[in-house]
């Protein structure tokens, strides 16, 4: 059986490894190398690095909808995608004898789209999961073949939840393929009326509005860390917030965004509902990521209580 794997970021690497260990993978399709960092160094995607380590041929189309014939020429019996980053054209979806499968990081039909892990945390969900589904022309709307649930801990951020989902997604995929080949799965149609969407994270979604509740701000910070990272402003300069805690209090005498505590243990800021956010790791403009103690010795040493962030 000829299997083509299509994926791009770290999330897809364990899936490729598991698939390669159980089934013959004829080729790997991933996004082109992209310039990264201030020096714009051309960098291959994680899936390309892993595919080359495994000795697998790599194809990197700029736009798969225009270059699908290079994949079709491989005559795939099955195509598996995991966070590939491009929508497959119908011409390609129609080719494999055993269809095209997608590994999606949510419990579909909830959180269709490109940022399901981020949005689940931002929304304060207590659980999410992995769905293996048939691919369809409509975004993430194909029939469901299997699902597994994963709890979202209070301390989870995008990085930790990403790793949990990636690890459970890999064996779920190979188990699903085995059952599919045996004819042991009845696909389930998604109920479109229950669908929600997780659009790609935009710059305006990264900015903290201190008028929001403490719980909303806490979920937004961990739902954007370690990438792309939430930010606010301090004295007119951007200030990234990498890690924070939610602190409940009975006091409600401070303005939203006001610094109410400042020490080497953290920068405590009042939220819109009077609850507080304790910033533990942050990054002032033009400086490296630092903990609260380093901030307190540097930029924080000239701040005073009552200073407001976000203005």
């Amino acid at each position: 059986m000829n299997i083509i794997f299509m994926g791009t970021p770290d999330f897809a690497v364990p899936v490729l490894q598991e698939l390669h260990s159980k089934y013959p993978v004829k080729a790997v399709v991933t996004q082109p190398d992209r310039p990264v960092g201030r020096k714009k160094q051309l960098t291959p995607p994680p899936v390309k690095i892993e595919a080359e380590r495994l000795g697998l041929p790599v194809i990197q189309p700029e736009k798969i909808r225009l270059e699908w014939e290079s994949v079709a020429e491989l005559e795939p019996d099955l195509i598996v995608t995991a966070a590939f980053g491009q929508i497959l054209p119908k011409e390609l979806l129609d080719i494999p004898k055993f269809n095209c499968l997608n590994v999606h990081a949510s419990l579909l039909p909830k959180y269709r789209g490109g940022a399901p892990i981020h949005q689940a945390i931002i929304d304060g969900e207590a659980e999410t999961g992995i769905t293996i589904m048939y691919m369809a022309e409509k975004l993430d709307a194909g029939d469901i073949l299997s699902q597994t649930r994963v709890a979202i801990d209070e301390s989870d951020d995008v990085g930790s939840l990403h790793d949990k989902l990636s690890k459970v997604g890999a064996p779920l995929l190979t188990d699903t393929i085995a059952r599919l080949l045996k004819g042991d799965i009845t696909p389930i149609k998604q109920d479109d009326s229950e669908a929600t969407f997780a659009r790609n994270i935009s710059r305006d979604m990264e900015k903290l509005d201190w008028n929001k509740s403490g719980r909303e701000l806490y979920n937004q910070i961990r739902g954007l860390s370690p990438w792309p990272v939430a930010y606010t402003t301090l004295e007119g300069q951007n200030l990234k917030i990498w890690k924070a805690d939610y602190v409940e209090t009975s006091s409600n005498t401070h303005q939203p965004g006001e610094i109410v505590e400042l020490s080497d243990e953290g920068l405590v800021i009042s939220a819109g509902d009077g609850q507080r956010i304790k910033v533990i790791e942050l990054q002032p403009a033009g400086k490296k990521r630092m903990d609260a103690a380093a901030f307190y010795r540097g930029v924080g040493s000239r701040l005073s209580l009552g200073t407001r962030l976000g203005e």
Side-chain angles (χ1 to χ4, degrees), residues 10 21 40 44 112 119 188 286:
D10 288 323
S21 72
K40 304 296 182 185
R112 294 176 180 174
Q119 198 63 54
I188 300 171

Side-chain angles (χ1 to χ4, degrees), residues 256-272:
E258 184 178 334
I259 298 175
V260 298
E261 292 181 34
L262 182 61
S263 73
D264 58 2
E265 294 184 353
L267 177 68
V268 180
I269 306 162
S270 180

Side-chain angles (χ1 to χ4, degrees), residues 33-247:
D33 298 1
R34 302 292 189 197
V36 173
R38 291 184 178 180
K39 295 182 179 178
K40 304 296 182 185
Q41 185 171 357
L42 201 60
T43 304
V47 161
K48 179 183 179 181
I49 295 171
E50 182 60 16
E52 290 182 340
R53 189 187 73 80
L54 296 171
L56 299 172
V58 175
I59 301 171
Q60 294 180 275
E62 185 68 41
K63 294 180 179 178
I64 191 66
R65 63 182 173 82
L66 301 178
E67 303 171 62
W68 60 271
E69 290 180 338
S70 61
V71 179
E73 289 171 357
L74 298 174
E75 299 181 338
D77 297 309
L78 174 67
I79 291 177
V80 175
T81 69
F84 175 54
Q86 296 185 35
I87 296 176
L88 272 58
K90 187 176 186 304
E91 293 90 341
L92 193 55
L93 294 176
D94 289 342
I95 290 175
K97 179 170 60 177
F98 296 105
N99 219 314
C100 299
L101 308 186
N102 177 240
V103 182
H104 189 76
S106 83
L107 296 172
L108 292 170
K110 206 164 187 179
Y111 297 124
R112 294 176 180 174
I117 303 176
H118 295 77
Q119 198 63 54
I121 295 178
I122 291 170
D123 288 351
E125 298 282 2
E127 71 168 6
T128 183
I130 291 287
T131 299
I132 310 296
M133 65 170 183
Y134 281 140
M135 297 190 71
E137 287 186 83
K138 190 176 176 182
L139 180 65
D140 298 331
D143 292 355
I144 294 172
L145 301 174
S146 60
Q147 285 185 323
T148 189
R149 297 178 179 276
V150 173
I152 302 176
D153 296 334
E154 174 73 9
S155 60
D156 270 329
D157 61 13
V158 169
S160 63
L161 184 57
H162 165 283
D163 292 348
K164 289 182 185 178
L165 291 169
S166 181
K167 288 177 182 175
V168 302
L172 182 65
L173 170 68
T174 52
D175 176 70
T176 302
I177 292 174
R179 293 172 54 207
L180 193 63
L181 295 178
K182 292 178 182 176
D184 194 28
I185 292 181
T186 301
I188 300 171
K189 288 194 175 299
Q190 294 189 44
D191 184 347
D192 289 344
S193 68
E194 295 183 0
T196 62
F197 293 88
R199 60 189 172 100
N200 292 335
I201 302 296
S202 60
R203 183 63 174 164
D204 64 305
M205 295 169 68
E206 300 167 22
K207 188 172 184 178
L208 296 167
D209 177 358
W210 294 101
N211 291 299
K212 290 183 177 179
S213 70
R215 181 61 68 180
E216 288 176 305
L217 290 163
Y218 175 63
N219 290 339
Q220 184 179 357
I221 291 168
R222 64 194 186 103
L224 294 171
S225 183
W227 68 88
V229 185
Y231 77 98
T232 183
T233 55
L234 173 63
E235 298 179 327
Q237 299 291 315
N238 285 352
L239 179 72
K240 289 185 176 181
I241 298 182
W242 289 80
K243 186 175 182 181
D245 277 339
Y246 172 66
V247 182

